[in-house]
């Protein structure tokens, strides 16, 4: 247990930040799962909507510092590959 006032404050802040970062990461994973499900269903409009929603959320997470910018870039790339694969299968 911290025995200095500043340490107590840092423990409180770290706890709040941990919860906030968890919310950003968890929602990003959920949005990615929804995108995968939309791709599996083959609904092009739904895929486009889910992809935009995911990219917007990831960009916000990076700007808030909840996710590293390289992590965000990797996840956006993976999402784009998913969407491109879906488009490719529709064209054939």
């Amino acid at each position: 247990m911290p025995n200095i006032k500043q340490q107590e404050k840092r423990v409180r802040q770290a706890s709040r930040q941990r919860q906030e970062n968890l919310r950003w990461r968890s929602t990003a994973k959920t949005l990615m799962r929804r995108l995968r499900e939309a791709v599996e269903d083959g609904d092009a409009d739904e895929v486009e909507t889910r992809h935009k929603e995911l990219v917007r959320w990831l960009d916000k997470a990076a700007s808030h510092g909840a996710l590293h910018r390289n992590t965000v870039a990797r996840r956006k790339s993976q999402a784009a590959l998913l969407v491109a694969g879906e488009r490719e299968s529709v064209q054939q």
Side-chain angles (χ1 to χ4, degrees):
M1 288 300 297
N3 55 5
I4 297 173
K5 193 171 185 178
Q6 181 60 31
Q7 289 174 336
E8 292 171 356
K9 182 178 178 180
R10 288 301 298 159
V11 167
R12 287 194 310 269
Q13 288 176 334
S15 176
R16 275 196 304 268
Q17 290 168 353
R18 200 169 26 254
Q19 289 298 316
E20 186 69 14
N21 289 340
L22 178 63
R23 181 179 73 89
W24 284 103
R25 288 192 314 266
S26 176
T27 303
K29 289 177 186 177
T30 301
L31 293 174
M32 188 64 163
R33 178 180 48 80
R34 289 179 184 167
L35 176 62
R36 278 195 194 99
E37 290 171 355
V39 168
E40 289 171 3
D41 292 343
D43 184 7
D45 292 334
E46 184 71 15
V47 168
E48 186 65 29
T49 303
R50 295 294 183 190
H51 184 249
K52 282 184 182 180
E53 185 180 19
L54 173 63
V55 168
R56 187 165 186 249
W57 185 263
L58 288 173
D59 287 337
K60 282 185 178 183
S63 69
H64 283 268
L67 290 173
H68 192 274
R69 65 179 194 267
N70 290 351
T71 301
V72 169
R74 184 179 66 248
R75 291 186 183 178
K76 285 167 60 174
S77 174
Q78 290 169 346
L81 287 172
L82 259 176
V83 172
E86 191 271 339
R87 287 184 186 146
E88 188 175 294
S89 65
V90 169
Q91 291 175 352
Q92 292 177 348

